[in-house]
Amino acid sequence: MRFDPTGKVSLENIYTQPDPRAYFRTLRELDYCIPQLAKPYFTKLVHEYRDVRRVRTPHILDIGCSYGINAALLTCNTTMDGLYERYCDGDAPGLTGDELLARDREWVAGRERPAGARFTGLDASRPAVSYALAAGLLDSAVHADLETCDPTEEQRALLAGTDLVISTGCVGYVTEKTLSRVVEAHGGARKPWMAHFVLRMFPFDAVEESLAAAGYETVHVEGLFKQRRFASAEEQSRVLDTLSSVGVDPSGLEADGWFYARLHVSRPREPERHAVR
């Protein structure tokens, strides 16, 4: 196994395949579940945004969207277990890439939209966002690394229409640089609300300070959320060292074998703001 500087096992290869089967096959073995745990919080935020801002169909930007997992959960009336079955079981392993894509297009075309939202995906992996866009899981996509580059004019126009910004695990690799560029794309227009599930090994202070400077207030939602099991004892040991280095006590949590995340919800300071509970 290869490990990144944080101590996590490197899973980069599963994000760059032409379709999501390797992604689901690998993460199923690790009981990856945080998108499912995030779903009710995102759904509630969409409804709150719609009520407060009076926007009929909010435009969601999913940062680190990979193959459109959050979009699938929120717009296709499915679950993580349903997605694991869809891409790992039955005839899925034997389909060609074109056959899988055609099957997904048919599935998505008949979807319900319980969240009543449009999705733009932002990811540095062109194969992942391309598949999600081709399958119809995303309404639009931004293939970019906003940690290192400003968005193009076309990308800026897509970002400027964002109502809600969400993520389930990329903050820590993505920093305040990306989020600042998303906010800056709005110019003087109404800023988007944000909800980020962030692993406890990644301090959120710099992001919160950057957002505060841009006029945001952040609420740290009560509770912790499982992300996935550790891939090996070595990964766990390395991550426990990282947690220790940032002053986080892993007792009863990461020490018992799972990554855990916190939810941070940030909204512009406005009279219309309602707190998430």
Side-chain angles (χ1 to χ4, degrees):
M1 289 184 177
R2 292 189 302 112
F3 299 89
D4 67 25
T6 72
K8 291 180 66 180
V9 65
S10 176
L11 298 175
E12 290 182 3
N13 64 305
I14 70 173
Y15 297 98
T16 56
Q17 300 302 310
D19 66 63
R21 284 175 289 192
Y23 172 97
F24 284 107
R25 184 170 60 249
T26 299
L27 292 180
R28 185 189 215 181
E29 294 176 355
L30 300 176
D31 293 326
Y32 177 70
C33 60
I34 198 164
Q36 184 66 45
L37 300 179
K39 180 178 178 178
Y41 290 88
F42 291 156
T43 299
K44 182 176 180 180
L45 202 63
V46 167
H47 290 312
E48 288 188 8
Y49 187 92
R50 187 186 296 118
D51 292 343
V52 171
R53 288 275 180 88
R54 300 189 183 280
V55 174
R56 188 185 187 99
T57 306
H59 180 185
I60 298 175
L61 176 68
D62 184 5
I63 299 181
C65 67
S66 67
Y67 296 93
I69 312 310
N70 288 319
L73 292 178
L74 287 167
T75 65
C76 292
N77 197 25
T78 189
T79 63
M80 282 302 290
D81 284 343
L83 293 176
Y84 286 134
E85 291 172 5
R86 178 173 189 82
Y87 293 103
C88 302
D89 298 340
D91 62 353
L95 296 177
T96 67
D98 288 343
E99 289 170 339
L100 185 74
L101 181 58
R103 189 182 73 163
D104 279 352
R105 283 176 174 162
E106 182 178 359
W107 174 57
V108 173
R111 68 187 176 180
E112 301 175 11
R113 281 183 176 261
R118 294 183 299 114
F119 269 86
T120 292
L122 168 62
D123 205 286
S125 169
R126 185 182 294 277
V129 295
S130 295
Y131 187 91
L133 187 62
L137 290 166
L138 299 176
D139 299 289
S140 54
V142 175
H143 169 240
D145 178 0
L146 299 187
E147 286 294 293
T148 58
C149 298
D150 288 327
T152 65
E153 287 305 311
E154 181 180 0
Q155 292 168 344
R156 187 183 300 274
L158 281 173
L159 298 174
T162 301
D163 295 308
L164 294 159
V165 179
I166 65 172
S167 67
T168 49
C170 72
V171 172
Y173 298 101
V174 163
T175 71
E176 66 276 6
K177 295 177 184 177
T178 290
L179 298 182
S180 293
R181 285 177 166 131
V182 170
V183 173
E184 289 165 4
H186 284 70
R190 191 165 53 185
K191 297 181 179 71
W193 294 6
M194 299 192 183
H196 301 291
F197 285 82
V198 183
L199 291 177
R200 295 196 326 137
M201 62 194 290
F202 295 125
F204 195 71
D205 303 33
V207 174
E208 184 173 355
E209 291 170 7
S210 176
L211 290 175
Y216 281 82
E217 181 178 350
T218 296
V219 173
H220 309 289
V221 177
E222 186 177 355
L224 298 174
F225 304 85
K226 284 184 173 181
Q227 192 218 37
R228 67 165 171 86
R229 291 187 296 100
F230 288 111
S232 67
E234 183 176 1
E235 181 184 47
Q236 181 178 19
S237 176
R238 288 170 177 261
V239 169
L240 293 183
D241 287 344
T242 298
L243 287 165
S244 177
S245 73
V246 295
V248 175
D249 181 6
S251 302
L253 297 165
E254 292 87 356
D256 289 348
W258 284 77
F259 284 97
Y260 280 85
R262 295 193 67 192
L263 170 58
H264 309 279
V265 176
S266 303
R267 292 186 175 93
R269 299 187 195 96
E270 298 171 335
E272 63 190 8
R273 184 181 63 79
H274 291 190
V276 170
R277 294 288 185 261

